[in-house]
Amino acid sequence: MVESDGVAKPMTADQHAGDAAQALTAILQTQYLRYLIIASWALGLLGVVPWWQAMLWFGGTVGAGAVRGAFERRMAERVDGGWGFVFPTVATVTTGAWAVAPLLAWFSGAPFGQPLAVALVVSGYVLVFAQLRSSPRQAVIISSPYGAASIVMLLSLIGQPEFWSLLLVLPFTAAGLFVLVTMTMLREERIRAFQAHQAHLIEELESARDKANAANDAKSNFLGVISHELRTPMNGVLGAAQLLSATRLETTQREYLSIIRNSGDNLLSLLNDILDMTKIEAGKMTFEIVDVVIEDLHKRITGPFEAQAEAKGLGFVSTFEGEVPMVVRGDPLRVCQVVQNLLSNAVKFTDTGEIRYVVRGERISDQRARFEFQVTDSGAGIAPADLERLFQPFTQVDASSTRRFGGTGLGLTISRRMANIMGGDITVTSRLGQGSAFTFAVEAEVVEWARPAPAEEIHAEVEGVASLRVLVVEDHPVNRMILEAWMSSAAHVTVTAENGELAVKAASEQPFDLIVMDVNMPVMDGLTATRLIREGGLNADTPIVVLSASARSEDHEAGLQAGADAYLNKPIDFAALANVIGRVPGGREAVAGLSSALAQSVAA
């Protein structure tokens, strides 16, 4: 609270300027009321003076008020620098016109003239101090004409009994004005204290917000780094499982191997979800816009889930409705990710019945179409109260410790945010005991409405390739062992290097048919080593395939710009690697020509 002794505190120049600004703002906001008051004073004068005197005073005072209003508007543009002398001077002169009214009433000789004059003086003082209550010094100066009128009135009563009566009215008026000014200053001090406290709270809130943003960024960076780093050992787990599946195994061993592969795939899916979530939160989620054949996209989406539905004894029906174009422009990887998440949930949460997947198309124009990818199941359904939190991160409808189905609760959150980034949305309708329907709506640019010629099928497995000399550059011993074992099983000769520096040395000493280069390594990274090999030597024109645990398109571009011919993500898809090896006899151009097809194969 602000105590009363705050009234006596000295004010700085900035405070004086602020008071002036507040006072002038109040005057400008109420300047039209002054003409109403002038008219009321003129009516009062009509009761004690001839009409022509009242009208003459009215006209002169209105003219003075107009002049004062013009100066007030000009002063408003520079009042933050203080009052100066112009405004007080003009205001005092115009107040002099008002002060003529009590003198006219005082000397009118009418019975009610002198009481009216006293009332007009007191009223004038109150009007001035009410408007300039935050600047009492200016109010004293500007109200001085009323003081002059009071002195004239007192002098006219010298020697008469009424002199003392009028004189005693002055301290009464001054006391009222003092109370008005004091209360105003106390209130404004409290307002200043509240504003200062509010500014302090805002600073604390901004500081807390910055700390929260920093903590959130640190969390996102940590999750991004850890999910990225975990992909490297996962390459060893899944790669070893692929190699082991090609050996002679007993039935029990094959069952255990199946568990390892399924668990590894689930863990990799979880890592991808975490990485996607951190990218979305950081605003770094990238989308590649390419030509997409709807029929191929449909096969990529439905392929895995037809088998899953059949394994659970569920029916799986997929249909097209409306006007569906054949080729559009978009990101097939992200669309697949969204729709496949909806299909995965439908299969997971449905025990009997069928899964229905419908692709609806609507022509908006010759160059644009609207799609609805709808997934309907016959599962248990979702209660209306649970629908509200369905798309919240790390939230599941059944959050109990005894729930039947696992998961992080990130899938639908990521799917809806991706849909929003693509300019679409995901909606859901559901009834308990009857099932749910999820609809992903999005628009896309149309390339072709008619059916294009079928694309040439690319086979991942390539046979009949002669033995190659391959340089494998990988810092992780397990990954080196897996790559070396796979190459040996295909009758290829391998030389290994633990880092980029050793790879450059090996490449300078002997020729190779193919170089498989990891990106993130100690001593020298793979991109630097690739650039050095491309500068000249025995392997300047040898095809180079770079490997990385990062699936970002910008990392792909960095690898290709460094001189690589193809890019493979970890965990390694050996079918895709076999496809690369099948193109090696054709040289760098053949391998580079396969790069886009490989990217689509990995995305699928």
Side-chain angles (χ1 to χ4, degrees):
M1 296 294 292
V2 178
E3 303 296 335
S4 59
D5 58 358
V7 178
K9 294 179 181 178
M11 300 180 68
T12 64
D14 290 340
Q15 288 176 311
H16 283 303
D19 292 341
Q22 292 178 11
L24 190 53
T25 299
I27 292 171
L28 290 173
Q29 290 174 344
T30 59
Q31 60 175 320
Y32 295 106
L33 293 177
R34 69 166 58 119
Y35 300 110
L36 177 62
I37 298 172
I38 291 172
S40 66
W41 281 28
L43 289 175
L45 287 176
L46 283 174
V48 296
V49 300
W51 67 269
W52 60 271
Q53 290 186 8
M55 291 300 100
L56 183 63
W57 176 87
F58 176 78
T61 308
V62 168
V67 172
R68 178 175 173 178
F71 274 97
E72 287 170 349
R73 286 188 291 273
R74 290 183 59 184
M75 284 295 299
E77 300 176 358
R78 58 185 184 90
V79 73
D80 286 341
W83 287 110
F85 296 99
V86 178
F87 175 76
T89 301
V90 173
T92 302
V93 171
T94 55
T95 302
W98 288 63
V100 172
L103 293 177
L104 290 175
W106 183 263
F107 293 107
S108 65
F112 191 66
Q114 291 187 346
L116 176 62
V118 174
L120 291 177
V121 168
V122 174
S123 175
Y125 270 113
V126 171
L127 287 173
V128 173
F129 277 86
Q131 284 187 318
L132 298 175
R133 55 187 178 274
S134 59
S135 299
R137 295 179 182 177
Q138 303 297 332
V140 170
I141 296 173
I142 294 172
S143 63
S144 58
Y146 294 116
S150 301
I151 292 173
V152 170
M153 292 160 55
L154 276 172
L155 293 176
S156 67
L157 292 177
I158 292 177
Q160 300 182 27
E162 292 85 356
F163 174 82
W164 295 105
S165 299
L166 179 60
L167 185 64
L168 293 176
V169 170
L170 298 180
F172 163 77
T173 304
L177 296 178
F178 176 77
V179 170
L180 174 65
V181 172
T182 302
M183 295 301 295
T184 299
M185 295 184 71
L186 284 172
R187 185 184 65 181
E188 291 182 353
E189 283 294 328
R190 293 189 181 97
I191 291 174
R192 289 192 188 97
F194 173 76
Q195 290 174 339
H197 180 63
Q198 192 175 44
H200 178 67
L201 290 178
I202 291 173
E203 289 180 0
E204 290 185 343
L205 289 174
E206 289 177 346
S207 177
R209 178 202 61 195
D210 294 340
K211 290 179 180 178
N213 289 339
N216 185 61
D217 292 342
K219 179 264 297 179
S220 298
N221 291 335
F222 171 76
L223 289 176
V225 170
I226 198 66
S227 59
H228 179 276
E229 291 298 325
L230 286 175
R231 291 172 68 97
T232 298
M234 279 306 300
N235 175 57
V237 174
L238 295 179
Q242 289 187 57
L243 291 175
L244 190 58
S245 65
T247 64
R248 294 179 179 273
L249 298 173
E250 298 177 359
T251 303
T252 303
Q253 292 173 332
R254 193 165 295 279
E255 290 178 356
Y256 291 161
L257 179 61
S258 176
I259 293 173
I260 292 174
R261 294 192 65 174
N262 290 336
S263 299
D265 290 338
N266 291 335
L267 181 56
L268 184 61
S269 176
L270 173 60
L271 293 175
N272 290 335
D273 282 348
I274 294 175
L275 192 59
D276 285 339
M277 194 68 184
T278 56
K279 287 181 181 179
I280 291 174
E281 288 183 349
K284 296 180 180 178
M285 177 63 72
T286 58
F287 290 80
E288 291 185 294
I289 306 301
V290 298
D291 289 352
V292 183
V293 179
I294 296 298
E295 186 175 351
D296 294 343
L297 179 67
H298 182 73
K299 292 178 181 178
R300 288 169 55 186
I301 290 174
T302 59
F305 299 100
E306 290 178 345
Q308 292 181 22
E310 183 180 355
K312 290 188 66 173
L314 303 173
F316 189 93
V317 180
S318 60
T319 59
F320 287 90
E321 295 181 1
E323 200 170 1
V324 180
M326 298 309 301
V327 183
V328 297
R329 289 187 61 78
D331 190 329
L333 172 62
R334 302 306 181 188
V335 173
C336 279
Q337 189 172 352
V338 172
V339 180
Q340 286 183 342
N341 179 267
L342 302 181
L343 286 169
S344 175
N345 286 342
V347 173
K348 181 193 297 186
F349 296 108
T350 303
D351 294 327
T352 60
E354 69 175 15
I355 307 298
R356 181 173 293 274
Y357 171 55
V358 180
V359 179
R360 297 189 182 92
E362 178 186 352
R363 182 192 290 261
I364 298 177
S365 66
D366 290 340
Q367 291 78 36
R368 199 154 187 86
R370 184 177 187 273
F371 290 90
E372 285 188 354
F373 302 90
Q374 187 176 70
V375 177
T376 306
D377 63 64
S378 57
I382 306 170
D386 293 326
L387 288 176
E388 298 179 359
R389 58 189 182 92
L390 191 61
F391 293 95
Q392 296 177 4
F394 304 104
T395 301
Q396 289 189 321
V397 172
D398 182 8
S400 65
S401 60
T402 58
R403 66 176 187 257
R404 293 175 55 199
F405 306 101
T408 60
L410 282 175
L412 285 176
T413 302
I414 294 173
S415 297
R416 170 169 269 185
R417 293 191 184 183
M418 283 187 177
N420 295 154
I421 294 174
M422 288 186 283
D425 197 10
I426 296 178
T427 56
V428 56
T429 58
S430 183
R431 297 185 65 181
L432 282 175
Q434 298 184 19
S436 306
F438 288 81
T439 304
F440 167 38
V442 70
E443 294 184 7
E445 178 187 350
V446 177
V447 178
E448 287 187 65
W449 287 95
R451 180 183 296 274
E456 180 183 355
E457 185 178 358
I458 298 176
H459 297 277
E461 297 294 340
V462 180
E463 298 179 355
V465 179
S467 176
L468 303 176
R469 288 183 58 81
V470 182
L471 173 60
V472 176
V473 189
E474 168 65 64
D475 65 315
H476 200 284
V478 175
N479 293 343
R480 282 202 311 274
M481 181 271 290
I482 291 173
L483 284 169
E484 191 173 7
W486 186 85
M487 293 288 181
S488 299
S489 67
H492 301 304
V493 178
T494 59
V495 174
T496 61
E498 298 179 5
N499 56 62
E501 184 177 308
L502 295 177
V504 173
K505 182 179 179 182
S508 66
E509 295 175 350
Q510 53 183 309
F512 294 97
D513 299 309
L514 175 67
I515 299 175
V516 180
M517 180 79 70
D518 188 22
V519 172
N520 298 311
M521 296 181 293
V523 183
M524 179 185 293
D525 63 85
L527 300 185
T528 303
T530 299
R531 296 188 190 96
L532 293 176
I533 293 172
R534 288 290 183 233
E535 289 180 358
L538 297 175
N539 294 282
D541 296 321
T542 299
I544 299 178
V545 178
V546 292
L547 304 176
S548 176
S550 175
R552 298 188 308 168
S553 58
E554 52 264 39
D555 293 329
H556 290 207
E557 292 296 330
L560 298 178
Q561 290 175 4
D565 303 296
Y567 197 108
L568 292 179
N569 292 327
K570 292 181 179 179
I572 300 171
D573 183 348
F574 286 110
L577 182 57
N579 207 356
V580 173
I581 291 177
R583 297 295 184 101
V584 168
R588 292 186 61 189
E589 292 184 359
V591 175
L594 189 62
S595 180
S596 59
L598 283 173
Q600 293 180 1
S601 175
V602 174

